[in-house]
Amino acid sequence: MTFEEFEKRVAKIAKMKLPGEAIQLKMAPIERILELKAQAREAKTAKQAGVLALFYPATTNETHLVLILRKTYKGVHSAQISFPGGKREAEDASLLETALRETEEEVGVDRTSVSVVKELTEIYIPPSNFFVQGYVGITTKTPHFIPQENEVEEILEIPLSHFMDDSILVTKTLSTSYATNIEVPAFLLNGHVVWGATAMILSEVREMLKAVL
């Protein structure tokens, strides 16, 4: 699909009701996530983060989505596929500002070039104790991606046609920070297994796009 056609159609999701947790939980790696989310909200000790599902025209004018492979480090999200985004800082006026700032820092996309289409359903990540707010955005310019040297191992450009193909839905046996050798729902994108919070957010994005594309 050309980016011009995608841009026209994706605007329709702005007024759509969010699919919500029911769709996200199809890709949840643990069964108790709603219970843990409620506990975290009551405790008021969780951190906040903002991430961006950014769609853009590739050099072929086909619509793509950008994801990143994080560097290997000592932490629960080491070497995982994720959206551009990160922890809310004191200077951020909102989580949207966090998502746009982090996207600019991590992949080099000017925050002023991004149009935000939709705020997604907030999710909770138990291992790192984060509430994550996702957003869908578009930029009409083909980005010149610049990976943040100390954060980003690789930038993944995912064609929309690949993202919407049901063959990317898989189940993998993984060892996580809270369990060993468990089967988790995942997406197989550009040869990478995408699971956990990123997969949950992707699930909601796909559900809305299915209704308009």
Side-chain angles (χ1 to χ4, degrees), residues 10-22:
V10 76
K12 297 177 182 178
I13 74 171
K15 296 181 180 180
M16 285 177 61
K17 181 179 179 181
L18 287 171
E21 288 176 333

Side-chain angles (χ1 to χ4, degrees), residues 101-115:
R101 173 184 56 76
E102 286 279 348
T103 297
E104 184 170 358
E105 292 174 2
E106 290 186 335
V107 299
V109 175
D110 183 351
R111 71 191 80 181
T112 64
S113 73
V114 177
S115 297

